[in-house]
Amino acid sequence: MGSPSPLCLRRLRLKPEDCAPAELFAQWRDALGEVFEVRATPTEIAEFRGEIDVHASARYVLSASRNSPLSLVLRRANGAQDRFAICLQINGSAAGLAGDSHKQADPGDVMFVDLSQALVIRQSAPEGLVDGVTLWAARDRILALVSDENALHGLILKAQSPAGAVIGAAMLAFARSAVKMTLIEFDALAEGLVALAAKSVAPMLVRASDGAALPPLASFVAVRRYIDRNLAQPDLSADSIAAAFGLSRASLYRLFEPAGGIAKYIRKARLSRAFQEITTAELSNRRIGHIAYALGFKNVSAFSRLFHEVYGVTPGEARQRARQTVAKPEYAVPAQPGESLTRWLEALSG
């Protein structure tokens, strides 16, 4: 079967009527493709129920799902890393690690997810099924609207907050009406939703910066993103950054003064990246010392002390807690070629 025309609104509907739970679980895993590793116990697979409805254009993807509770682990290397997601939790809860922070989204909450960062989620639902809606977009569509996308990962708008109530209601209405939309309507409404959500969280991102006066936005954001992309470079320093941007050291220091200084920002960013790599399932066999050295820390003991000061646990304890977040024993069905959420996310344009 040939690929759908990029001018068409594509749809993937998974709602088997006569399907054994194990087979349904396999189809569910195939639909998610390689973005998430789906984990479940044999008992959960034997009792699995679920359905998923996906609409996709070349610019946005909307997915609505209803399923038995599972564990989801965002793969470290996936074809959708340059994507963001806005997730509405309709029924049930999702709790776990987003980046280097513990998060929990309850019914009605809206959570932002950066697919380039770590995410380990365990779903739960007292009434049996987890229900949610997610709007996926290319990373560039979000970056143009926010000052700190790193702080956006895992940020939750509670259902009882004005922003959470408005965005949640808009996403729910969007999902219910998607089947009747034209491609132009779908893209226009999705773009409006992304803009609404990004502008709604802007005050929260400012508060996350400790209320300090913000530096000139364009230049600060450009330098910060350069730092985030080059954390593994051993020569990353104030001198190398200043040279890369043609700035004097004094100008660079002034630019990062509201963030506590350039050295503090680099150290905090490296610690956050280290936390994510230490708690990533795919890197669980990699020694913690190797992770620390690769991110520019010269002494493992000093790294461990600093890690404990910031996160309240040792690196080893953080790794052990992450392992306990998801269901054991694990079972994942390999993805098969064909139409999937993953393929459509990979094809999104910025």
Side-chain angles (χ1 to χ4, degrees):
M1 183 176 67
S3 300
S5 165
L7 299 179
C8 297
L9 187 59
R10 295 160 291 176
R11 189 182 190 193
L12 171 65
R13 179 74 166 147
L14 174 61
K15 189 179 180 181
E17 299 297 337
D18 299 312
C19 183
E23 182 184 346
L24 176 57
F25 179 82
Q27 293 184 39
W28 183 272
R29 175 61 181 84
D30 293 348
L32 291 182
E34 293 299 318
V35 176
F36 289 102
E37 180 182 347
V38 181
R39 298 182 178 183
T41 64
T43 299
E44 288 171 336
I45 294 170
E47 299 175 351
F48 183 75
R49 292 181 292 158
E51 59 185 82
I52 188 168
D53 197 7
V54 184
H55 292 80
S57 72
R59 302 170 67 187
Y60 298 98
V61 172
L62 177 73
S63 63
S65 59
R66 193 165 183 259
N67 61 278
S68 304
L70 297 167
S71 294
L72 299 175
V73 180
L74 186 61
R75 294 185 181 277
R76 188 69 184 175
N78 67 75
Q81 287 190 83
D82 289 332
R83 310 293 181 246
F84 253 95
I86 305 172
C87 311
L88 169 64
Q89 193 77 29
I90 298 174
N91 184 61
S93 298
L97 284 171
D100 59 3
S101 302
H102 289 271
K103 301 290 183 180
Q104 178 165 324
D106 296 312
D109 293 351
V110 176
M111 182 167 74
F112 294 79
V113 175
D114 179 352
L115 272 66
S116 71
Q117 299 197 49
L119 183 71
V120 181
I121 290 294
R122 176 61 190 169
Q123 300 173 334
S124 62
E127 298 180 4
L129 295 178
V130 179
D131 198 352
V133 171
T134 301
L135 178 60
W136 313 78
R139 187 182 183 86
D140 289 348
R141 297 191 183 279
I142 301 288
L143 297 191
L145 301 171
V146 298
S147 60
D148 189 352
E149 73 276 12
N150 290 329
L152 192 59
H153 179 56
L155 187 149
I156 293 176
L157 299 176
K158 301 304 292 182
Q160 63 269 28
S161 70
V166 171
I167 296 170
M171 289 186 64
L172 193 57
F174 184 44
R176 288 173 175 170
S177 302
V179 70
K180 300 180 290 186
M181 292 181 192
T182 65
L183 177 64
I184 294 175
E185 289 172 334
F186 181 85
D187 278 345
L189 288 169
E191 188 167 343
L193 261 175
V194 169
L196 172 65
K199 291 182 179 180
S200 297
V201 301
M204 300 178 69
L205 298 181
V206 171
R207 289 197 297 272
S209 301
D210 297 326
L214 293 177
L217 183 59
S219 55
F220 174 75
V221 170
V223 175
R224 180 180 56 74
R225 289 175 180 165
Y226 173 86
I227 293 172
D228 293 341
R229 289 194 303 270
N230 291 277
L231 290 175
Q233 298 301 319
D235 61 346
L236 184 67
S237 64
D239 287 338
S240 66
I241 296 167
F245 285 87
L247 296 171
S248 67
R249 286 172 58 94
S251 296
L252 184 63
Y253 290 150
R254 283 195 298 271
L255 197 62
F256 276 80
E257 186 176 358
I262 184 70
K264 180 180 178 180
Y265 181 85
I266 294 174
R267 184 170 62 250
K268 180 180 178 181
R270 279 177 162 160
L271 270 176
S272 179
R273 181 72 60 80
F275 184 101
Q276 295 186 44
E277 294 195 7
I278 287 169
T279 57
T280 295
E282 293 166 271
L283 302 178
S284 60
N285 293 327
R286 190 179 179 194
R287 295 180 62 180
I288 290 173
H290 291 170
I291 292 175
Y293 287 131
L295 287 170
F297 294 97
K298 308 299 183 185
N299 183 287
V300 176
S301 297
F303 163 75
S304 296
R305 286 194 299 271
L306 183 59
F307 190 99
H308 188 274
E309 289 176 8
V310 173
Y311 298 112
V313 293
T314 66
E317 290 169 340
R319 172 169 280 176
Q320 184 60 30
R321 288 186 180 183
R323 287 172 174 165
Q324 295 171 349
T325 299
V326 296
K328 299 289 183 177
E330 298 164 12
Y331 183 80
V333 178
Q336 300 296 322
E339 291 299 316
S340 68
L341 176 61
T342 305
R343 286 186 58 184
W344 292 348
L345 292 181
E346 290 175 349
L348 286 178
S349 59

